[in-house]
C-alpha cells in the first residue's frame, strides 16, 4: 500500500504559523460587516477591493519569488493564509485562481517575459485569472477539447468555446487548454495552454446563473481571437502534462475541506446556547470534528509532498474525494438537526447560511473533477487500471 | 516517526511468521489453554516488544506511545488474538508505579467494586486469553490474575466477564496511577492503532482478490463499480490510519495520549471499520462469508474493536463536548488535534 503508507503526520513549521494571528486580526476587521450567509461563499465570493488590500499586505503570491513581486515564503505559509481566509469566510474569489494555479503555472513553465509581465500584477491583486478547461462537450473527458489555437504569422488564432469558467466576467485573463495540433482523436497529444487576454476583440463572456441565484461561472466564446506568439505557456503540445500537474494543487488544498466551515461554526454558535444544545447536536459536532481533523492532517501531509517537488496525484484525489464528501455532509446533517427540533427560535441568519450552502453543495464534488473521475484516478493509482 | 520502523519491522516479522491464520483460529477456539496461545506468547516475549514502552534501565526500549504506533498497527494487521498492545501499555503503567510486572499478557478493563469488596468486570476484551487484568474501578487501579477469577463467557470468543472475591482483591496489588488517567482512553488509543492495521490488511486482501477473481471473462477489479468501491475503501483506510496516528500522539498524562486525539482516532477508525468491512465482503462475494476464508478473521475483529472502548457515537460525544466548550472557531481545535509535536 505504498500510497496509503506514504503520508506521515506533518506539522506546519512555526515560522509559517507565525503569520496566522496577523491574518486573522486583519480579516476580522476587514470583513466585520459581512453577514455569515455572505461569508459562507468564501472563495466563491468576489471582492476586488479586498483582494487589492491583501495584495498590499503581500499576501497574494506569497510563495512566489520576491524577484517577481511575490513573498518568497513556503507553501505552508500559503496554507496558513488559505485556512484563515476560509475559516473566516473572506471573499477571496477574485484572486483565488491566479494565486493558487495561474501564477505558479507561469512561474514553472512561462518565459522570462511572461513571468515579469504577469506575476507582479497577480501579486498586487490587479490581475485575475480564470481556468478555461471545460467545454460543453469536454467536461470529465478533458482530452477531447475542441477549442483550437491555429498558428499564424502574428501568433495564434483562437476559435471555440469554454464553459463553467469561474469568474470569467471578473477576470482579465484566462489560461485555456486548447488544441494546437491534431484532432480530438489524438487525445493528450497536440494540446497546449495559452493565456487569453479577455479584453481582446472576438472574446464574449456570458455569465450563467446557478441554481442559488449567483452568477459565478460563465460561458466564454472565441471568434477569431488573434493571440500574440507569447500567448503560449510552456511548450506546444505539453498542455496535458501541465494541466495534470496543476490539478494536484487544485485538489488537495484546504478549500476541499472547509467549504462548509462558516456554516458549521455558525451552527455551533447556536448549539452553544442553552436552547440550541441537544445530545444529538453534540454528537454531530463531534462527528464533524473527528472527520475533519484526520482530513486536515492528510491535506497538510500532501502539501508537504508538493513542497518537496513530488506529484502526489492519487493522494490529492483521495483528499478531495473525502473532503468534498464531508463538505456535503455538513449542510445535510445540520438541516436534519435543526428541523428535527420543535424550535422556532433558530436564528434566521443561520437558516440563510444553511440555504446557501445547501444549494451550493452539489458543486463541491463537481468542480475540480467529479467524484467518479477522482475515484477512477484512485483506482488507477491502486493498479486496477 | 520513520526511524522507529525497526520495531514495526520486528513485529511484522514475528507476526507474519507465527501469527498465521491457523494459529489465530486455534487460539480463538482454545483460549489461554491452547498450545498455540502459549507458543505465540513466548515468541512475542522473546522479541522484547511487550517491554518496548519501558525505560531502557528497566529493560525496555524507552519508546513513547507514538513511536510504538507501527508495532500496534502490526498487531492489527495480523489479527493477533493476544493482548500484546494492551500488555505494552499496562507494563509501562506498572513500571511507572514502581511495581514488579507479572509474567504473561495483561488485558485492560473497567470494573466495579461490589458492596462486599469484590470486583466485577462486565466485559474484559481478551479475558479468555490474558493472564492478568489491569482494572480501573472507581478511582483505583488493580492488577488481578485471571486464574482463580470467576469467569463467564462473553459475546465474543476471546472475551469474558470476570469477577474476583473480596479476598482475591485484597491479595492483589493496587497500582498507583495518575488520577487523570482513564483506562478507556488508553485502550481506545491502542485499539484504534490495531484497527488501522486490520483495515489496511482487509483492504490489501480485497484489492488482491479483485485482481484475481474473474467473472465475465475478466478480473472483477476491471469493472468500474468495483474500482469505485475499492477507491472509497482506500479513502477510509487512509483517513483512519492518519487518525490512529494522531490518537497515539502525546499530550496527556504519562503514557496516556491526548483524549481529544483519541476521540478522533477511535471514532474515525470505527466508522471506517463499518464501511471497509461492508465493501470487503461485497467484493469477496460468497467465499468471503465462509469460516474457511481468512477475511473474516479481520472483519469480525474490526467489528469487535468498534465495540471496544467506546463506539464512534461515544467518542463523537466526547469530541462534540470539547468543541462546544471551545470558544474559538473550529479550525483552532482542528489544529490542536493535528499539529503534533514530534519527539526529537
Ligand atoms: C461551481 C463550478 C465551477 C467550475 N469552475 C470551472 C472553471 O473555472 N473552469 C473549468 O474549466 N471548469 C469549471 N467547472 C467545470 C467542472 O470541472 C466540470 O463540471 C466537471 O469536470 C464535470 O464535467 P461536466 O459537468 O461536463 O460533467 P460530465 O463530464 O458530463 O459528467 C456527468 C456525469 O457523468 C460522470 N462521468 C463522466 N465520465 C465518466 C467516466 N469516465 N466514468 C464514470 N463516470 C463518468 C460524471 O462523474 C458525472 O457524474 C466548474 C464546475 C462547477 C460546478
Amino acid at each position: 500500500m505504498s500510497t496509503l503508507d506514504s503520508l506521515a503526520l506533518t506539522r506546519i513549521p512555526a515560522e509559517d504559523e507565525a503569520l496566522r494571528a496577523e491574518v486573522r486580526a486583519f480579516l476580522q476587521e476587514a470583513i466585520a460587516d459581512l453577514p455569515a450567509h455572505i461569508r459562507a461563499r468564501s472563495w466563491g465570493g468576489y471582492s476586488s477591493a479586498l483582494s487589492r488590500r491583501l495584495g498590499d499586505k503581500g499576501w497574494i503570491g506569497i510563495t512566489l519569488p520576491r524577484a517577481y513581486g511575490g513573498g518568497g515564503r513556503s507553501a505552508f505559509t500559503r496554507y496558513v493564509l488559505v485556512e484563515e481566509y476560509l475559516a473566516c469566510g473572506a471573499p477571496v474569489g477574485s484572486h483565488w485562481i491566479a494565486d493558487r494555479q495561474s501564477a505558479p503555472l507561469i512561474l514553472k513553465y512561462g518565459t522570462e517575459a511572461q513571468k515579469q509581465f504577469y506575476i507582479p500584477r497577480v501579486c498586487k491583486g490587479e490581475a485575475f485569472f480564470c481556468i478555461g478547461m471545460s467545454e460543453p462537450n469536454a467536461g470529465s473527458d478533458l482530452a477531447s477539447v475542441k477549442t483550437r489555437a491555429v498558428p499564424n504569422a502574428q501568433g495564434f488564432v483562437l476559435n471555440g468555446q469554454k464553459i463553467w469558467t469561474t469568474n470569467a466576467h471578473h477576470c482579465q485573463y484566462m489560461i485555456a487548454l486548447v488544441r494546437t495540433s491534431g484532432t480530438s482523436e489524438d487525445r493528450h497529444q497536440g494540446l497546449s495552454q495559452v493565456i487569453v487576454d479577455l479584453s481582446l476583440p472576438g472574446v464574449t463572456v456570458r455569465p450563467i446563473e446557478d441554481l442559488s441565484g449567483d452568477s459565478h461561472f460563465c460561458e466564454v466564446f472565441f471568434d477569431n481571437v488573434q493571440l500574440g506568439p507569447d500567448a503560449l505557456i510552456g511548450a506546444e503540445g505539453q498542455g496535458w502534462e501541465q494541466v495534470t500537474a496543476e490539478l494536484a494543487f487544485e485538489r488537495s488544498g484546504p478549500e476541499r475541506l472547509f467549504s462548509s466551515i462558516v456554516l458549521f461554526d455558525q451552527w455551533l454558535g447556536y448549539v452553544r446556547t442553552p436552547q440550541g444544545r441537544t445530545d444529538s447536536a453534540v454528537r454531530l459536532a463531534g462527528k464533524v470534528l473527528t472527520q475533519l481533523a484526520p482530513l486536515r492532517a492528510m491535506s497538510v501531509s500532501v502539501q508537504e509532498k508538493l513542497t518537496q517537488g513530488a506529484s502526489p496525484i492519487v493522494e490529492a484525489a483521495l483528499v478531495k474525494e473525502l473532503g468534498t464528501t464531508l463538505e456535503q455532509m455538513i449542510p445535510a446533517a445540520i438541516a436534519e438537526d435543526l428541523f428535527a427540533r420543535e424550535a422556532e427560535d433558530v436564528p434566521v441568519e443561520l437558516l440563510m447560511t444553511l440555504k446557501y450552502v445547501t444549494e451550493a453543495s452539489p458543486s463541491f464534488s463537481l468542480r475540480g473533477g467529479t467524484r467518479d473521475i477522482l475515484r477512477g484516478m484512485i483506482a488507477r493509482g491502486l493498479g486496477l487500471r | 516517526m520513520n526511524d522507529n520502523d525497526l520495531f514495526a519491522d520486528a513485529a511484522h516479522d514475528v507476526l507474519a511468521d507465527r501469527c498465521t491464520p491457523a494459529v489465530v483460529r486455534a487460539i480463538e477456539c482454545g483460549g489461554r489453554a491452547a498450545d498455540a496461545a502459549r507458543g505465540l506468547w513466548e515468541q512475542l516475549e522473546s522479541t522484547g516488544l511487550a517491554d518496548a514502552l519501558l525505560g531502557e534501565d528497566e529493560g525496555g526500549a524507552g519508546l513513547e506511545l507514538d513511536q510504538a504506533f507501527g508495532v500496534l498497527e502490526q498487531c492489527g494487521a495480523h489479527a493477533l488474538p493476544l493482548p500484546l498492545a494492551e500488555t505494552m501499555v499496562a507494563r509501562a503503567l506498572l513500571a511507572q508505579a514502581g511495581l514488579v510486572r507479572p509474567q504473561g499478557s495483561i488485558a485492560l478493563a473497567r470494573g466495579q467494586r461490589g458492596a462486599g469488596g469484590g470486583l466485577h468486570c462486565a466485559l474484559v476484551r481478551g479475558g479468555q486469553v490474558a493472564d492478568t487484568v489491569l482494572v480501573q474501578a472507581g478511582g483505583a487501579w488493580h492488577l488481578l490474575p485471571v486464574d482463580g477469577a470467576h469467569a463467564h463467557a462473553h459475546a465474543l470468543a476471546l472475551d469474558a466477564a470476570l469477577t474476583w472475591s473480596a479476598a482475591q482483591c485484597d491479595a492483589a496489588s493496587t497500582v498507583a496511577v495518575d488520577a487523570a488517567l482513564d483506562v478507556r482512553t488508553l485502550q481506545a488509543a491502542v485499539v484504534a492503532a490495531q484497527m488501522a492495521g486490520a483495515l489496511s490488511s482487509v483492504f490489501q486482501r480485497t484489492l488482491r482478490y479483485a485482481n484475481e477473481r474473474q467473472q465475465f471473462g475478466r478480473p472483477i477489479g476491471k469493472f468500474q463499480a468495483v474500482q469505485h468501491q475499492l477507491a472509497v475503501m482506500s479513502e477510509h483506510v487512509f483517513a483512519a490510519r492518519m487518525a490512529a496516528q494522531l490518537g497515539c500522539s502525546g499530550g496527556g498524562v504519562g503514557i496516556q495520549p491526548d483524549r481529544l486525539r483519541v476521540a478522533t482516532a477511535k471514532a474515525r477508525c470505527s466508522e471506517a471499520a463499518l464501511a471497509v468491512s461492508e465493501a470487503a465482503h461485497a467484493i469477496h462475494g460468497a467465499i468471503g462469508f465462509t469460516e474457511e476464508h481468512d477475511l473474516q478473521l479481520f472483519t469480525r475483529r474490526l467489528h469487535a474493536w468498534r465495540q471496544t472502548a467506546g463506539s464512534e457515537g461515544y467518542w463523537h460525544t466526547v469530541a462534540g463536548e470539547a468543541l462546544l466548550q471551545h470558544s474559538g472557531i473550529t479550525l483552532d481545535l482542528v489544529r490542536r488535534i493535528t499539529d503534533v509535536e514530534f519527539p526529537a
Side-chain angles (χ1 to χ4, degrees):
Chain A
M1 149 148 17
S2 58
T3 298
L4 304 191
D5 285 339
S6 66
L7 292 188
L9 291 177
T10 308
R11 188 180 183 145
I12 296 182
E15 67 263 26
D16 302 309
E17 276 293 339
L19 190 58
R20 194 181 291 277
E22 192 193 336
V23 179
R24 188 170 301 179
F26 171 84
L27 290 177
Q28 275 167 353
E29 179 270 312
I31 61 172
D33 297 335
L34 282 189
H37 76 274
I38 300 294
R39 287 191 286 112
R41 284 162 170 76
S42 193
W43 62 288
Y46 175 90
S47 165
S48 53
L50 179 68
S51 289
R52 216 138 298 159
R53 286 185 73 188
L54 294 172
D56 287 344
K57 282 281 193 185
W59 292 343
I60 305 180
I62 201 161
T63 63
L64 300 170
R66 289 175 188 277
Y68 301 113
R73 303 282 301 266
S74 87
F76 283 119
T77 314
R78 182 174 178 275
Y79 199 95
V80 168
L81 269 175
V82 168
E83 278 191 331
E84 289 302 313
Y85 293 163
L86 297 167
C88 298
V92 286
S94 315
H95 68 270
W96 189 261
I97 285 165
D99 177 77
R100 177 181 71 190
Q101 274 167 265
S102 315
L105 183 84
I106 292 169
L107 180 72
K108 187 159 179 206
Y109 297 107
T111 62
E112 189 53 38
Q114 286 170 332
K115 292 181 206 177
Q116 288 189 11
F117 182 79
Y118 293 105
I119 299 179
R121 284 175 180 74
V122 166
C123 295
K124 286 203 200 91
E126 291 171 4
F128 305 141
F129 277 74
C130 57
I131 306 167
M133 294 192 193
S134 303
E135 296 182 5
N137 292 310
S140 303
D141 185 12
L142 209 49
S144 67
V145 296
K146 288 205 170 63
T147 296
R148 192 172 261 284
V150 179
N152 69 356
Q154 297 99 291
F156 301 88
V157 183
L158 185 67
N159 276 291
Q161 182 195 346
K162 292 291 171 181
I163 197 168
W164 317 129
T165 320
T166 297
N167 276 341
H169 51 331
H170 297 306
C171 290
Q172 292 87 352
Y173 304 104
M174 170 192 281
I175 293 183
L177 180 69
V178 298
R179 197 152 271 294
T180 42
S181 66
T183 67
S184 31
E185 277 70 62
D186 294 315
R187 307 288 299 161
H188 305 164
Q189 260 92 58
L191 295 173
S192 304
Q193 283 184 298
V194 291
I195 304 179
V196 184
D197 179 339
L198 295 172
S199 67
L200 286 173
V203 177
T204 309
V205 177
R206 263 211 304 257
I208 303 169
E209 192 174 320
D210 72 26
L211 61 81
S212 73
D214 283 347
S215 297
H216 279 129
F217 49 28
C218 302
E219 295 179 283
V220 184
F221 300 89
F222 308 112
D223 180 16
N224 284 316
V225 180
Q226 179 65 54
L227 303 177
D230 55 351
L232 183 71
I233 308 181
E236 198 273 330
Q238 290 299 299
W240 185 258
E241 271 169 61
Q242 295 177 13
V243 161
T244 316
E246 189 182 334
L247 285 169
F249 282 92
E250 181 173 345
R251 284 178 176 148
S252 60
E255 67 267 36
R256 306 307 178 184
L257 316 179
F258 291 114
S259 297
S260 302
I261 199 72
V262 170
L263 168 64
F264 183 64
D265 270 324
Q266 199 188 357
W267 172 78
L268 280 176
Y270 173 67
V271 177
R272 284 188 184 114
T273 65
Q275 67 272 29
R277 191 190 165 99
T278 63
D279 289 348
S280 68
V282 173
R283 250 197 320 275
L284 174 58
K287 183 181 167 93
V288 171
L289 181 66
T290 57
Q291 291 196 4
L292 190 53
L295 266 166
R296 193 233 185 202
M298 290 159 76
S299 165
V300 172
S301 173
V302 171
Q303 189 63 56
E304 160 92 351
K305 295 214 136 186
L306 287 167
T307 38
Q308 289 167 357
S311 194
I313 291 168
V314 178
E315 292 90 333
L318 276 161
V319 172
K320 184 187 180 245
E321 229 276 90
L322 266 181
T324 54
T325 301
L326 177 62
E327 288 180 336
Q328 290 175 334
M329 179 270 263
I330 290 171
I334 287 177
E336 159 61 26
D337 172 65
L338 293 177
F339 291 93
R341 301 162 183 249
E342 294 292 346
E344 306 298 331
D345 58 358
V346 179
V348 172
E349 179 58 31
L350 171 57
L351 297 180
M352 285 170 74
T353 310
L354 175 63
K355 171 200 180 285
Y356 169 73
V357 179
T358 300
E359 290 178 356
S361 66
S363 72
F364 300 167
S365 58
L366 296 174
R367 58 188 187 193
T370 69
R371 171 161 287 143
D372 304 302
I373 293 301
L374 293 167
R375 288 181 181 172
M377 291 174 59
I378 298 166
R380 178 167 293 116
L382 295 173
L384 290 161
R385 295 190 173 179
Chain B
M1 287 193 187
N2 287 337
D3 47 340
N4 302 308
D5 282 350
L6 276 179
F7 293 95
D9 289 349
H12 173 272
D13 290 348
V14 65
L15 290 168
D17 195 32
R18 299 290 174 155
C19 185
T20 60
V23 167
V24 177
R25 285 185 173 83
I27 295 175
E28 286 191 343
C29 279
R32 190 170 28 252
D35 287 345
R38 297 260 155 246
L40 179 55
W41 187 257
E42 272 164 31
Q43 284 294 325
L44 292 172
E45 276 289 6
S46 71
T47 61
L49 287 168
D51 288 327
L53 294 173
L54 271 56
E56 284 172 25
D57 48 345
E58 290 161 315
L63 296 192
E64 302 285 336
L65 191 57
D66 58 350
Q67 297 168 311
F69 175 80
V71 174
L72 306 181
E73 190 183 23
Q74 284 303 316
C75 294
H78 293 88
L80 176 64
L82 299 175
L84 174 63
E86 289 78 359
T87 305
M88 288 169 74
V89 292
R91 286 191 184 178
L93 286 179
L94 296 176
Q96 276 169 17
L99 290 181
V100 181
R101 274 106 50 204
Q103 290 287 309
S105 64
I106 310 175
L108 299 173
R110 295 191 310 147
Q112 282 84 39
R113 291 301 290 262
L119 198 156
H120 177 64
C121 291
L123 170 56
V124 181
R125 290 290 185 206
Q128 299 285 357
V129 282
D131 296 301
T132 317
V133 191
L134 180 60
V135 184
Q136 184 177 32
W141 294 64
H142 311 269
L143 186 64
L144 293 153
V146 175
D147 249 352
H150 186 72
H152 278 290
H154 217 284
L156 297 167
L158 297 177
D159 302 339
L162 297 176
T163 309
W164 291 269
S165 67
Q168 286 171 318
C169 287
D170 292 343
S173 346
T174 39
V175 185
V177 167
D178 189 296
L181 237 141
D182 163 44
V183 72
R184 173 138 59 179
T185 306
L186 193 59
Q187 194 176 15
V190 296
V191 165
Q194 294 177 83
M195 291 177 89
L199 286 164
S200 166
S201 278
V202 167
F203 174 66
Q204 291 299 341
R205 281 162 189 275
T206 308
L207 190 58
R208 205 178 319 131
Y209 186 76
N211 278 319
E212 284 164 4
R213 172 71 172 171
Q214 306 247 343
Q215 289 294 325
F216 300 95
R218 50 184 172 150
I220 56 172
K222 294 285 170 208
F223 294 106
Q224 195 180 47
V226 175
Q227 291 180 350
H228 285 196
Q229 290 187 63
L230 283 161
V232 174
M233 272 176 91
S234 76
E235 291 164 16
H236 281 291
V237 174
F238 197 166
R241 182 170 195 269
M242 216 66 185
Q245 277 180 275
L246 288 172
C248 286
S249 304
V253 184
I255 189 168
Q256 170 123 314
D258 179 81
R259 186 163 158 85
L260 186 54
R261 289 199 182 125
V262 174
T264 303
K266 185 61 173 63
R268 192 63 190 86
C269 287
S270 296
E271 283 177 347
L274 268 187
V276 168
S277 302
E278 188 180 304
H281 278 289
I283 292 173
H284 274 83
I287 191 74
F289 192 62
T290 63
E291 193 286 328
E292 186 189 348
H293 197 281
D294 295 338
L295 179 64
Q296 55 95 357
L297 299 178
F298 298 88
T299 55
R300 276 194 302 111
R301 198 151 269 114
L302 280 173
H303 286 295
W305 276 326
R306 177 173 174 244
Q307 298 168 18
T308 300
S311 65
E312 59 271 35
Y314 175 85
W315 291 107
H316 286 158
T317 301
V318 170
E321 295 282 2
L323 186 49
L324 291 177
Q325 272 160 34
H326 163 80
S327 56
I329 56 178
T330 300
L331 174 62
D332 291 338
L333 204 58
V334 169
R335 287 170 45 226
R336 184 162 107 39
I337 298 172
T338 57
D339 289 350
V340 170
E341 282 302 345
F342 297 109

